[in-house]
Amino acid sequence: MTSFLRPAVSGQDQIQGQIQGHIQDQTTAGKYRPISTHLAITPPVSIVIPAMNEAENLPFVFKTLPQWIHEVVLVDGNSTDDTVAVARELWPDVKVVKQLGKGKGDALITGFEACTGDIIVMVDADGSADGHEIVSYVSALVSGADFAKGSRFANGGGTDDMTPIRKLGNWALCTVVNRKFGARYTDLCYGYNAFWRHCLDKIDLDCTGFEVETLMNIRVVKAGLKVQEIPSHEYVRIHGASNLRAVRDGLRVLKVILKERSNRRSLRRRPHSVVLGSGPGEVS
């Protein structure tokens, strides 16, 4: 795992010249990927997009993805529309993986296994996530975090797609996780996250539904990984209806919390995570 933070210098040509010089250096660990005038990285970044019948939404998803990413892994959940064809038209090099099981958790686990990048970013296929935010997630990781967790309720974040009852449920479940596991999250049930690939060996995902995001957040804490919350804005799904059911999936999340809490031996054996601040006035 190699990462480099490049300071800004005057002149785009100077930046590109420095990058090219390092590429030619045989001692360089890998190819530099300039992602802004301030930052260039060597770690390849994989984007995982679980999708089922999202052909109408994919154009909005792909148009915000940065061109410097290493690969896009689309996990197709047996779509009956043109999801796969549209994805290949929009991103010719997209890696399409067929989901054999069911559920978002199963789709993500399938996608993670297909990734070849050192950094993995989870992005929903409904158009609710802004791909321009990926640079913030990657910046947090190359700056020292293990897990960059999106938050709609951190300073600078927001949501256009949560009903009052869902906000209340998310707050209540988040509060339980913070108190029971020593976390300092401001958001719990949000699927826009990024992490180093090696983290998968420490969190050992084993659930199939929407509760996978909660499971990840809990096991990251139990594994003692460094977490940084990233302010993120969630937009309304553009087309179609969500498969999320607030009461049903809320109960599944609660079940995961109780199950993980009952595993006290694992919790005592591992140090708590360090939560890095996401901005002035945020968690620290």
Side-chain angles (χ1 to χ4, degrees), residues 33 41-49 61-62 65-75 87 91-97 110-123 134 138 195 197 200:
R33 293 174 175 82
I41 62 172
T42 58
V45 178
S46 299
I47 309 296
V48 175
I49 305 176
V61 177
F62 278 85
L65 295 181
Q67 295 298 312
W68 47 261
I69 60 178
H70 166 62
E71 67 181 355
V72 176
V73 177
L74 180 91
V75 184
W91 202 279
D93 294 330
V94 65
K95 180 185 292 186
V96 177
V97 181
T110 300
F112 296 159
E113 292 176 348
C115 289
T116 60
D118 293 333
I119 290 175
I120 298 176
V121 184
M122 305 157 47
V123 177
I134 291 176
V138 172
F195 52 90
R197 187 180 179 186
L200 292 172

Side-chain angles (χ1 to χ4, degrees), residues 192-232:
Y192 200 175
N193 304 298
F195 52 90
W196 291 101
R197 187 180 179 186
H198 67 77
C199 294
L200 292 172
D201 296 331
K202 300 179 180 179
I203 60 178
D204 191 25
L205 299 177
D206 54 5
C207 68
T208 60
F210 281 99
E211 69 275 14
V212 65
E213 294 145 4
T214 297
L215 182 65
M216 292 182 73
N217 294 331
I218 293 175
R219 291 190 176 173
V220 161
V221 173
K222 293 170 68 173
L225 300 177
K226 294 180 181 179
V227 180
Q228 180 166 336
E229 284 198 331
I230 306 299
S232 177

Side-chain angles (χ1 to χ4, degrees), residues 224-244:
L225 300 177
K226 294 180 181 179
V227 180
Q228 180 166 336
E229 284 198 331
I230 306 299
S232 177
H233 192 97
E234 178 188 40
Y235 297 90
V236 176
R237 163 183 276 273
I238 300 173
H239 296 286
S242 172
N243 292 319
L244 177 68

Side-chain angles (χ1 to χ4, degrees), residues 29-172:
K31 181 180 179 181
Y32 275 85
R33 293 174 175 82
I35 65 176
S36 75
T37 57
H38 298 271
L39 179 68
I41 62 172
T42 58
V45 178
S46 299
I47 309 296
V48 175
I49 305 176
M52 183 175 68
N53 298 328
E54 299 284 8
E56 291 184 287
N57 291 323
L58 289 184
F60 299 92
V61 177
F62 278 85
K63 74 177 182 180
T64 65
L65 295 181
Q67 295 298 312
W68 47 261
I69 60 178
H70 166 62
E71 67 181 355
V72 176
V73 177
L74 180 91
V75 184
D76 177 44
N78 301 300
S79 298
T80 57
D81 64 0
D82 294 328
T83 291
V84 173
V86 170
R88 286 176 171 156
E89 179 181 353
L90 295 169
W91 202 279
D93 294 330
V94 65
K95 180 185 292 186
V96 177
V97 181
K98 189 77 170 180
Q99 182 182 359
L100 299 180
K102 294 182 179 180
K104 184 176 184 180
D106 180 82
L108 286 172
I109 293 171
T110 300
F112 296 159
E113 292 176 348
C115 289
T116 60
D118 293 333
I119 290 175
I120 298 176
V121 184
M122 305 157 47
V123 177
D124 286 340
D126 58 5
S128 63
D130 183 358
H132 293 115
E133 295 178 358
I134 291 176
V135 63
S136 297
Y137 288 83
V138 172
S139 296
L141 294 176
V142 299
S143 296
D146 296 308
F147 190 85
K149 182 190 180 311
S151 174
R152 296 162 291 187
F153 304 111
N155 187 24
T159 177
D160 301 330
D161 195 39
M162 288 189 77
T163 62
I165 188 65
R166 284 181 58 200
K167 286 183 179 180
L168 178 62
N170 185 63
W171 172 82

Side-chain angles (χ1 to χ4, degrees), residues 13-42:
D13 292 340
Q14 293 182 18
I15 297 175
Q16 295 298 329
Q18 290 177 356
I19 293 172
Q20 291 299 323
H22 282 286
I23 292 175
Q24 296 171 1
D25 187 346
Q26 294 301 316
T27 63
T28 300
K31 181 180 179 181
Y32 275 85
R33 293 174 175 82
I35 65 176
S36 75
T37 57
H38 298 271
L39 179 68
I41 62 172
T42 58

